[in-house]
Amino acid sequence: MFSALRQPLARATAAKPLARAFSAYSPVQNAVAPTKSANLEYLLTETRGRVGVVTLHRPKALNALCNGLFVELNQVLKEMDNNKEIGAIVLTGSERAFAAGADIKEMKDRTFIENYTEDFLGHWTQITKIRKPIIAAVNGFALGGGCELAMMCDIIYAGDKAVFGQPEIKLGTIPGAGGTQRLVKAVGKSKAMEMCLTGSVNLTAEEAERAGLVSRVLPADVVVDEAVKTAEKIAGLSQPIVQMVKDAVNQSFEMPLSAGLTFERRLFHSTFASQDQKEGMSAFAEKRKAKFVHN
């Protein structure tokens, strides 16, 4: 949850020493540079075909996660979720940091009563309510809240210099946005305990891939492009069915196996009421490409 900008990063040999962050986006061939809307202070947005791309943009703070950033992020993701021209979303940061943690200066003087009555950090989890798939394209530091934010996404692609960690215990607190919950399901109890209890055991991109936290490790300069390619592939499929798949996989974390299997089977049955199921199976039988109408 929290930034460890002044803490040494154990096992982060793949990352360079912390310094001032640079541009929150690396230009790529044939890509339109992301734009900053007049009403957005902390984000850059763009659309590539049917893919919405959101870039965290607090370069001087290594994309530290503040309240204003999450208010904007929730707003932008909801708009993309409601936009029928967008089928999938990519969330990224800079090459230096996806997000180095929460904004400590913003929260250090808060009280228990404020946190409890205002449900502090509760709005962080709104990203998990987005129906369309979200791919996190992670470069650099994903520490504390940055790691938690990545885990709220559906797929994580990591640049080869990415570093994942939960250093909150060094600040006298614990993760507050999923670090003790989602991390266990991703890497197992022992590794999650080691990371959260020491605050200094960080995972390199390769270690994160081996542990199951990330799907792929890619060169830092292409990780966003590769995430967009995957998002384009997803966006080209039947959107109602894509959302059913996301729902089914996510429910596996909430249900016992027997209930999850029943939930999956009922969704499978329901696909036979869609035009896209008829089109997809007919196209397969006729050896042609399916033309989905998202219905």
Side-chain angles (χ1 to χ4, degrees):
M1 178 176 58
F2 299 106
S3 174
L5 302 185
R6 294 181 177 84
Q7 301 293 336
L9 294 173
R11 300 176 66 191
T13 55
K16 299 177 182 178
L18 286 171
R20 179 173 296 181
F22 51 83
S23 171
Y25 196 83
S26 293
V28 293
Q29 188 175 7
N30 299 325
V32 178
T35 59
K36 189 169 185 177
S37 172
N39 62 340
L40 294 177
E41 182 178 357
Y42 304 110
L43 303 176
L44 303 176
T45 62
E46 64 173 311
T47 302
R48 301 195 199 178
R50 286 180 48 79
V51 177
V53 181
V54 183
T55 303
L56 307 180
H57 187 61
R58 291 190 74 194
K60 293 182 179 180
L62 291 174
N63 291 332
L65 303 172
C66 61
N67 179 68
L69 184 149
F70 262 96
V71 169
E72 291 184 3
L73 183 60
N74 289 337
Q75 170 194 329
V76 167
L77 292 178
K78 188 65 175 177
E79 290 173 355
M80 290 185 174
D81 205 28
N82 292 332
N83 186 343
K84 293 184 178 180
E85 300 304 314
I86 291 177
I89 301 165
V90 171
L91 178 63
T92 190
S94 69
E95 286 194 18
R96 193 79 181 104
F98 176 72
D103 191 328
I104 302 304
K105 292 180 180 179
E106 183 179 75
M107 68 172 63
K108 66 182 181 64
D109 295 324
R110 292 184 61 88
T111 67
F112 163 72
I113 295 300
E114 287 176 330
N115 290 343
Y116 190 80
T117 58
E118 298 171 12
D119 192 24
F120 184 51
L121 301 188
H123 65 312
W124 282 32
T125 61
Q126 289 302 305
I127 185 174
T128 64
K129 304 296 193 298
I130 300 302
R131 304 294 304 279
K132 293 171 182 175
I134 303 175
I135 302 176
V138 177
N139 273 318
F141 299 105
L143 302 177
C147 186
E148 291 170 315
L149 177 58
M151 289 190 291
M152 292 181 209
C153 298
D154 302 301
I155 300 171
I156 304 176
Y157 283 1
D160 52 10
K161 298 296 190 293
V163 178
F164 300 85
Q166 299 289 162
E168 291 88 347
I169 199 166
K170 291 184 174 182
L171 301 180
T173 189
I174 73 169
T180 65
Q181 303 300 305
R182 292 187 178 91
L183 188 63
V184 176
K185 293 175 172 63
V187 304
K189 176 184 175 182
S190 181
K191 179 58 69 176
M193 281 286 196
E194 185 183 34
M195 293 172 69
C196 292
L197 285 173
T198 67
S200 58
V201 175
N202 301 308
L203 299 181
T204 64
E206 290 76 14
E207 290 169 334
E209 183 183 32
R210 288 197 297 270
L213 180 60
V214 307
S215 299
R216 296 174 62 187
V217 176
L218 300 153
D221 60 346
V222 302
V223 65
V224 174
D225 284 349
E226 290 300 316
V228 170
K229 286 180 183 178
T230 298
E232 286 176 337
K233 185 179 297 185
I234 295 169
L237 300 170
S238 168
Q239 291 306 291
I241 308 303
V242 164
Q243 291 184 15
M244 287 184 187
V245 170
K246 176 171 174 171
D247 284 346
V249 174
N250 284 335
Q251 284 299 320
S252 73
F253 290 98
E254 310 293 337
M255 294 180 172
L257 178 60
S258 59
L261 290 171
T262 299
F263 181 79
E264 177 191 67
R265 190 161 58 253
R266 294 295 178 259
L267 283 180
F268 167 72
H269 293 162
S270 72
T271 65
F272 284 74
S274 71
Q275 294 181 44
D276 286 341
Q277 174 271 329
K278 298 295 184 288
E279 167 62 14
M281 291 192 177
S282 295
F284 177 82
E286 296 165 11
K287 297 182 180 180
R288 60 176 176 82
K289 185 177 180 179
K291 297 179 180 179
F292 295 119
V293 295
H294 312 300
N295 200 331

